[in-house]
Amino acid sequence: MDFLVLGILAITPQQIVMYGIGILLIYLAIYKDFEPALLLPMGFGAILVNLPASGVLNQTLAGIGETHGIIQWLFEVGIEASEALPILLFIGIGAMIDFGPLLSNPKMFLFGAAAQFGIFFALSMATLLGFDLKDAASIGIIGAADGPTSILVSQILGSSYVGAIAVAAYSYMALVPIVQPIAIKLVTTKKERRIKMPYNPSSISKRTRILFPIIVTFIAGLVAPTSVALVGFLMFGNLIRECGVLNSLSDTAQNVLANLITLLLGITISFSMTADAFVKLDTLLIMCLGLVAFIFDTIGGVLFAKFLNLFLKEKINPMVGAAGISAFPMSARVIQKMGLKEDPTNHLLMHAVGANVSGQIGSVVAGGIILNLLTKML
Amino acid sequence: MTKEVYRKGYNMIDNFMLSLEIMWKGMAGIFFIIILITLIVMMLSKIPSQEKDNN
């Protein structure tokens, strides 16, 4: 009857650590509401792939030969071979986003660019900690505050830290309400946080809404061709939403498709959370660098707003700059809440939403540009 | 300093210097694309349209 205890005897201390991490992720998802759609499947997947001789991974069995595991197959087909899962998710994300608040207030676009600074800052810090350029860029992209972009870029660059990067990206997105207020207060005064911004949106024609995704695809695609998969699918989803003749498809993309891909993406990415790949000092460093990326994204956006204020008659509340990160809609809500806390009559939500959806574009463009630059430099 | 050195990733300082190059080129690239999009959106909003909706 030895076979009954073979599994228990084969457990390694590193695998026990991974069970703990898996349970922690499930706890954070259920009880703290931290990105539950992703962290729960990832947490459960972390347990599945770390069971000894787990059937969800390919195994070689005596007398039978190789057997195929479902999670490994999903990873090889859906992420490794084609990056299909994160890319397809962008159709759903694009269909969910209303670019109206941004199109009616175009200067908010600029914050979607400025708040990507943390990506490059973290990239530089990672090189100083000894990571090679591909891994450093993969770690930096955690600052895109966009899980699918982080997974896609780190996978294309062949980073061995995809699991840790995905966990960091989704964890910090959930921690935006804690991280951003601290970072914002570090670089703003109370007076600056109380700046009021009147909201006078211009009306947006249907033609503009339809042309917008097509134009963005052309510009991003021609300047940074590697970003086409990211930007193109995001904008394809948005075009389905805005065209007005594909409401059923738009609804499917926003709900069924996005939910299905999210469900599979979480459990699939857990393939890269096997104990030998995850239980390392590097994982801790990556978590720290991810935090640095989020903090400097926020600081980059805020400082850029303060820079613009040097030239503007109607001042911008610098907190709005912080909403230029891609974590939508959490970041916009954080800014609104902070604005109201400083002055109960100060409503910044629509400005922040504009900056926040710009961050969606900025983050995928940043992912494409990083791929572009690295493939040319390496 | 040749690209060969960077490629092999032997030297932390070389990688850091290269990361600074990625930083300025990357931020410049993002701003270039975003500003271009902003200008085109501003131009689009100047073109009169019969059909309008408010956000």
Side-chain angles (χ1 to χ4, degrees), chain B residues 39-53:
Chain B
L39 292 175
I40 291 175
V41 167
M42 285 170 139
M43 275 164 47
L44 277 176
S45 64
K46 300 282 179 207
I47 301 170
S49 172
Q50 291 178 335
E51 194 185 349
K52 297 247 177 179
D53 64 43

Side-chain angles (χ1 to χ4, degrees), chain A residues 73-331:
Chain A
W73 179 82
L74 280 170
F75 186 85
E76 287 169 355
V77 173
I79 294 184
E80 198 173 52
S82 59
E83 287 90 28
L85 290 178
I87 290 175
L88 288 174
L89 186 55
F90 274 108
I91 298 177
I93 296 171
M96 286 180 209
I97 299 177
D98 175 9
F99 284 107
L102 178 63
L103 294 173
S104 65
N105 193 5
K107 66 176 179 244
M108 291 297 132
F109 267 109
L110 297 173
F111 298 117
Q116 308 306 322
F117 175 69
I119 295 175
F120 300 99
F121 187 83
L123 191 162
S124 291
M125 290 300 104
T127 59
L128 285 180
L129 289 171
F131 289 98
D132 70 24
L133 266 181
K134 285 181 183 175
D135 285 330
S138 304
I139 293 165
I141 206 72
I142 294 171
D146 183 344
T149 303
S150 303
I151 293 168
L152 184 91
V153 171
S154 53
Q155 182 58 36
I156 291 177
L157 291 177
S159 172
S160 51
Y161 301 109
V162 179
I165 288 166
V167 170
Y170 283 111
S171 304
Y172 290 128
M173 272 164 67
L175 289 173
V176 158
I178 297 167
V179 174
Q180 282 213 301
I182 297 168
I184 289 170
K185 283 182 180 173
L186 276 176
V187 286
T188 55
T189 62
K190 197 169 180 64
K191 191 180 167 193
E192 286 170 332
R193 295 197 294 273
R194 296 181 79 161
I195 293 175
K196 285 191 180 179
M197 294 174 70
Y199 184 62
N200 304 308
S202 55
S203 57
I204 308 298
S205 66
K206 186 177 177 186
R207 181 186 57 204
T208 302
R209 285 176 179 270
I210 291 173
L211 284 176
F212 177 69
I214 299 170
I215 289 167
V216 171
T217 304
F218 266 112
I219 294 173
L222 292 173
V223 178
T226 338
S227 71
V228 167
L230 294 162
V231 179
F233 274 60
L234 182 76
M235 291 299 137
F236 172 56
N238 192 248
L239 185 58
I240 290 173
R241 173 198 175 95
E242 300 296 351
C243 69
V245 293
L246 293 173
N247 292 339
S248 173
L249 290 190
S250 171
D251 186 52
T252 303
Q254 289 181 47
N255 299 296
V256 181
L257 178 70
N259 284 339
L260 189 61
I261 300 284
T262 302
L263 177 75
L264 289 176
L265 187 62
I267 202 144
T268 302
I269 207 70
S270 67
F271 171 71
S272 52
M273 293 175 72
T274 50
D276 54 339
F278 203 89
V279 184
K280 293 176 179 174
L281 176 65
D282 287 351
T283 303
L284 279 179
L285 291 177
I286 289 167
M287 298 303 283
C288 294
L289 286 166
L291 182 60
V292 167
F294 268 67
I295 289 171
F296 278 85
D297 276 345
T298 304
I299 289 175
V302 171
L303 292 184
F304 185 71
K306 290 171 78 159
F307 172 72
L308 287 182
N309 279 346
L310 296 175
F311 310 99
L312 293 173
K313 265 187 186 173
E314 273 191 15
K315 303 293 181 196
I316 295 170
N317 188 313
M319 293 196 296
V320 170
I325 69 168
S326 176
F328 180 83
M330 288 92 78
S331 187

Side-chain angles (χ1 to χ4, degrees), chain A residues 54-71:
Chain A
S54 173
V56 298
L57 304 178
N58 294 355
Q59 302 288 345
T60 306
L61 302 178
I64 296 175
E66 194 178 5
T67 61
H68 296 284
I70 180 68
I71 289 185

